[in-house]
């Protein structure tokens, strides 16, 4: 049986001189995103050897919960700032073998 969960991993690399602002923006997303109904986890990671590189690891119960996240005020605020602060690459994932 296929999972209905929605998993995305995003890799964000700060633009020159924007590392601090990027980290502040990303940190401002964790609490509100975790509080959303249907959010199973929302984790922020920083690359150990590349201070300006971050990874967001997020999991939602279903497509409806993921869509609600993308319509939330905090996500829309993020969208309004992210391109000036970073380059980003989001990777939507399908479950193959998970627990």
């Amino acid at each position: 049986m296929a999972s209905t969960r929605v998993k995305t991993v995003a890799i964000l690399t700060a633009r020159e001189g924007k590392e601090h602002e990027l980290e502040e923006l990303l940190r401002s997303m964790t609490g509100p995103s975790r509080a959303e109904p249907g959010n199973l986890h929302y984790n922020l990671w920083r690359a150990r050897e590349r201070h300006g590189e971050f990874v967001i690891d997020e999991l939602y119960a279903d497509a409806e919960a993921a869509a609600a996240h993308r319509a939330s005020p905090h996500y829309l605020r993020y969208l309004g700032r992210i391109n000036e602060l970073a380059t980003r690459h989001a990777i939507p994932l399908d479950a193959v073998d998970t627990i």
Side-chain angles (χ1 to χ4, degrees):
M1 183 172 157
S3 172
T4 61
R5 292 182 174 178
V6 175
K7 172 84 169 164
T8 301
V9 173
I11 301 166
L12 301 103
T13 303
R15 296 191 187 282
E16 177 111 14
K18 300 291 185 175
E19 296 88 356
H20 182 70
E21 288 177 79
L22 176 60
E23 183 172 349
E24 284 182 353
L25 177 64
L26 297 178
R27 284 179 177 270
S28 77
M29 292 288 293
T30 58
S33 297
R34 290 173 181 160
E36 294 170 3
N39 178 275
L40 302 177
H41 77 251
Y42 189 98
N43 297 310
L44 175 61
W45 300 83
R46 180 182 346 193
R48 197 172 283 158
E49 300 196 9
R50 290 180 302 278
H51 184 71
E53 189 169 85
F54 296 87
V55 174
I56 298 171
D57 174 19
E58 54 191 307
L59 181 64
Y60 293 90
D62 53 31
E64 197 172 275
H69 168 69
R70 290 189 301 275
S72 69
H74 53 277
Y75 185 79
L76 295 175
R77 184 174 51 82
Y78 158 88
L79 278 182
R81 300 243 11 246
I82 194 61
N83 289 332
E84 74 185 67
L85 301 178
T87 59
R88 61 188 171 127
H89 179 68
I91 307 165
L93 301 168
D94 292 325
V96 175
D97 187 5
T98 62
I99 55 170

